Amino acid sequence: QVQLVESGGGLVQPGGSLRLSCAASGGMFSGYAMGWYRQAPGKERELVARISRLGSITYADSVKGRFTITRDTAKNTVDLQMNSLKPEDTAIYYCKFDSVFANYWGQGTQVTVSS
């Protein structure tokens, strides 16, 4: 059974940093894209950052220059380093592994940016 488990969320002050990690298990993930999405209260889930299966990286305009996505394909992990956090970054953050065959989501981790 495929399982994605996120960690690293929490409460941070504006301007602070957090690092989210996502580890996948229970399957073979070569050829999968890996990404991070977020959903704020009352809003649609949106893409934050994504690495395609070939290694191309996409960032939402709102996080460019502040967030960095990295992956370890040998360990089936994807991380999101978040710097210069803003209150508008507050949301539940989800990791996603996807291919033409299947999509897998993690359960989400809360990130709250507040003084």
Side-chain angles (χ1 to χ4, degrees):
Q1 180 178 355
V2 173
Q3 189 174 19
L4 273 59
V5 178
E6 299 107 336
S7 61
L11 173 65
V12 64
Q13 292 186 341
S17 298
L18 283 175
R19 187 175 184 88
L20 305 182
S21 295
C22 175
S25 61
M28 301 291 289
F29 302 104
S30 61
Y32 275 71
M34 303 176 184
W36 287 93
Y37 295 72
R38 67 186 181 188
Q39 187 167 17
K43 295 188 176 181
E44 298 286 323
R45 191 173 297 188
E46 63 177 0
L47 171 71
V48 177
R50 182 177 183 269
I51 302 178
S52 76
R53 65 182 183 88
L54 297 179
S56 298
I57 295 177
T58 302
Y59 291 102
D61 288 343
S62 59
V63 307
K64 284 180 180 177
R66 301 188 297 122
F67 291 11
T68 303
I69 187 171
T70 56
R71 68 177 179 183
D72 186 329
T73 54
K75 296 181 179 179
N76 294 323
T77 60
V78 59
D79 291 353
L80 185 69
Q81 177 66 42
M82 305 186 294
N83 300 326
S84 302
L85 282 160
K86 304 175 181 180
E88 51 264 42
D89 294 318
T90 295
I92 299 175
Y93 284 70
Y94 300 88
C95 68
K96 178 185 179 184
F97 282 33
D98 68 271
S99 76
V100 295
F101 303 108
N103 296 329
Y104 301 107
W105 290 91
Q107 82 286 353
T109 186
Q110 177 70 47
V111 171
T112 302
V113 185
S114 175
S115 55

